[in-house]
Amino acid sequence: MRMLLKVEMNTESSNDLIRQGAIQGLMREALGRIRPEAAYFTVENGCRTGYFFFDLAETADMPSIAEPFFMRLGAKVHYSPVMNQEEMAEGLSRMSGRG
């Protein structure tokens, strides 16, 4: 299932990792684990925030994906199922009985 993972990083924790030169390694490790089709970074609610779009093969993978963000960044983590344009068109056609 295609998912959006939103990671809102705690400012103090992320500052510490930046000072240590470790945040890039954490992100590289996390992105290597989830292999996102897209990753975007911004500021939300005054915090560094990452948005990762990826395929979640099994729900049992959710803890191993989220825990590094919780433990190392003190992050708030949110998962949302998402669709691309083709998937939405398919869903809409199923609603109208044409799919």
Side-chain angles (χ1 to χ4, degrees):
M1 175 181 294
R2 181 175 287 111
M3 298 291 285
L4 163 60
L5 173 65
K6 176 183 165 187
V7 177
E8 190 175 299
M9 304 169 213
N10 174 275
T11 301
E12 286 184 40
S13 298
S14 58
N15 284 349
D16 288 343
L17 285 180
I18 290 169
R19 285 187 200 102
Q20 296 167 16
I23 199 161
Q24 288 178 324
L26 172 67
M27 288 299 163
R28 198 170 22 256
E29 181 182 313
L31 296 178
R33 183 175 25 264
I34 65 175
R35 293 171 298 194
E37 63 184 58
Y40 300 97
F41 300 89
T42 188
V43 174
E44 189 169 312
N45 299 316
C47 297
R48 295 174 182 98
T49 303
Y51 291 92
F52 309 101
F53 295 87
F54 71 103
D55 182 46
L56 180 65
E58 297 182 34
T59 55
D61 293 333
M62 293 171 74
S64 66
I65 291 168
E67 284 306 322
F69 296 118
F70 287 136
M71 296 176 69
R72 304 220 24 226
L73 288 170
K76 294 179 183 176
V77 175
H78 180 80
Y79 287 96
S80 297
V82 295
M83 299 177 274
N84 64 23
Q85 184 176 356
E86 292 82 19
E87 292 162 338
M88 186 164 94
E90 173 66 21
L92 292 173
S93 71
R94 288 180 188 182
M95 286 178 50
S96 64
R98 290 179 273 165

